[in-house]
């Protein structure tokens, strides 16, 4: 098998295209802007704060986690777990805040 091999898979009953899920994020916060007031993060509803703490990042998208395990049965193939996101997302869409 020639490199690079990409693995894609399908999930059932995982609704990332539901309107409420898709709208629940603050793009400026995901690009690294710091928000300290709940009122500035209304786009993140229903996950804006936990107790008295403003979530950073806030929203359903930023606080959803998918965890899966993939096992390779061919010992001649090495699976890398680095650089799995698009460079354009790392450069422009998501950034760490400067604190």
């Amino acid at each position: 098998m020639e490199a690079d091999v990409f693995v894609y898979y399908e999930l059932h009953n995982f609704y990332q295209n539901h309107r409420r899920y898709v709208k629940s994020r603050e793009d400026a916060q995901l690009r690294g802007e710091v928000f300290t007031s709940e009122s500035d993060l209304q786009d993140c509803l229903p996950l804006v704060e936990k107790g008295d703490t403003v979530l950073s990042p806030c929203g359903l998208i930023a606080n959803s986690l998918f965890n899966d395990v993939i096992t390779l049965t061919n010992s001649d193939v090495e699976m890398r777990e680095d650089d799995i996101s698009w460079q354009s997302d790392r450069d422009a869409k998501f950034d760490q805040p400067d604190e």
Side-chain angles (χ1 to χ4, degrees):
M1 194 178 304
E2 297 288 325
D4 291 330
V5 175
F6 297 92
V7 177
Y8 297 91
Y9 53 95
E10 181 178 344
L11 302 175
H12 295 277
N13 298 322
F14 190 69
Y15 301 105
Q16 285 187 298
N17 63 344
H18 189 279
R19 180 179 49 86
R20 185 175 188 194
Y21 180 85
V22 171
K23 292 181 69 156
S24 181
R25 69 178 192 274
E26 174 52 62
D27 290 334
Q29 188 188 45
L30 293 173
R31 287 191 302 268
E33 190 172 326
V34 176
F35 292 87
T36 56
S37 171
E38 176 188 351
S39 63
D40 293 334
L41 297 170
Q42 293 304 301
D43 288 342
C44 288
L45 291 172
L47 288 177
V48 176
E49 63 182 357
K50 182 174 183 177
D52 293 333
T53 304
V54 174
L55 294 175
S56 182
C58 64
L60 293 173
I61 290 177
N63 287 282
S64 63
L65 174 69
F66 176 76
N67 185 11
D68 204 351
V69 175
I70 298 172
T71 304
L72 299 177
T73 58
N74 183 336
S75 61
D76 296 332
V77 177
E78 176 187 352
M79 187 156 109
R80 290 188 3 229
E81 296 181 9
D82 58 333
D83 292 329
I84 61 172
S85 62
W86 291 335
Q87 186 69 43
S88 60
D89 284 352
R90 292 193 304 264
D91 290 345
K93 195 169 184 180
F94 305 105
D95 197 5
Q96 296 297 314
D98 297 325
E99 292 190 65

